[in-house]
Amino acid sequence: MAECNISDAKLEEAILHKPELRDPANRQVVRDLRSLRDSAFILWSYGRHADCDRLVASIREIVTSPSIGGLGDNDEDEADQQFAAREPMVQRGGAALGRRDDKGAKPLININEMVPSLRADEIIGAEVRSSDDRIIGEVRNIVFGTKDRRDYAIVASGGFFIPGKDSIVVPIPVLRVS
């Protein structure tokens, strides 16, 4: 049985060489493509090589399509339903998240107390560039609340899914978002 070759999608090469993919308007498309690539890796790791091959072919098709901006659907209600389907029906441990249904319950957090910031899903998958604008890698994970009370981004800088070998740990405060 032939194994799925995820590197055949040549996603990072396409991001590097296609200005259209580096356009800020297509940032979400790039995140989605990287998520698809990660999903292909998961399928491969479970031995689902045919499914992995189909997903890699889809990635290749999206990357080579003439106009990436024309892809997708803008029906927000349908998108909300699809997004809601990602959430688990039962929370971990079966515990409820707060008591918002009780009469007179206060919100878990007041929205006015939150400062403008980035969500983890906006950081994970983001490109990391050097000061001379060369691509170093992408943020693969975030570690919060370490013993030294600092938060770190794990940046994959080389091969694909080789934990630790080609990764660098960067304190989040030294990253500049652009």
Side-chain angles (χ1 to χ4, degrees):
M1 177 180 227
E3 291 212 12
C4 176
N5 192 350
I6 297 165
S7 63
D8 281 351
K10 301 201 181 305
L11 177 59
E12 293 306 318
E13 292 88 343
I15 293 168
L16 184 63
H17 297 295
K18 277 186 105 170
E20 183 178 0
L21 288 173
R22 291 191 311 275
D23 184 3
N26 288 323
R27 203 163 89 185
Q28 185 61 47
V29 172
V30 170
R31 273 196 211 114
D32 292 342
L33 286 167
R34 286 177 171 151
S35 293
L36 288 171
R37 178 196 58 201
D38 295 350
S39 298
F41 178 77
I42 291 168
L43 289 168
W44 172 82
S45 69
Y46 281 102
R48 306 287 306 257
H49 301 292
D51 294 331
C52 175
D53 281 332
R54 280 193 293 278
L55 192 50
V56 168
S58 295
I59 293 168
R60 259 188 261 127
E61 184 180 338
I62 293 170
V63 166
T64 59
S65 69
S67 174
I68 290 178
L71 297 174
D73 189 1
N74 60 4
D75 183 350
E76 291 185 22
D77 292 333
E78 186 177 341
D80 288 342
Q81 287 176 341
Q82 295 291 347
F83 191 74
R86 293 175 47 186
E87 297 300 317
M89 298 293 279
V90 177
Q91 299 296 327
R92 286 186 183 167
L97 299 175
R99 299 274 180 206
R100 293 171 285 216
D101 295 337
D102 293 348
K103 187 174 182 176
K106 302 267 189 236
L108 295 177
I109 185 167
N110 187 338
I111 195 76
N112 295 326
E113 293 172 9
M114 296 177 71
V115 295
S117 57
L118 291 172
R119 296 185 322 262
D121 69 327
E122 292 176 312
I123 298 172
I124 295 174
E127 282 182 352
V128 177
R129 294 178 174 264
S130 64
S131 57
D132 59 348
D133 205 33
R134 287 189 9 215
I135 296 175
I136 295 173
E138 80 178 67
V139 177
R140 299 305 268 155
N141 213 337
I142 300 175
V143 179
F144 293 106
T146 58
K147 284 184 181 180
D148 64 357
R149 299 195 172 169
R150 296 179 84 188
D151 303 324
Y152 296 95
I154 309 299
V155 178
S157 63
F160 180 64
F161 282 109
I162 305 171
K165 183 176 179 194
D166 294 325
S167 296
I168 28 181
V169 179
V170 180
I172 289 180
V174 302
L175 296 175
R176 183 175 55 97
V177 177
S178 62

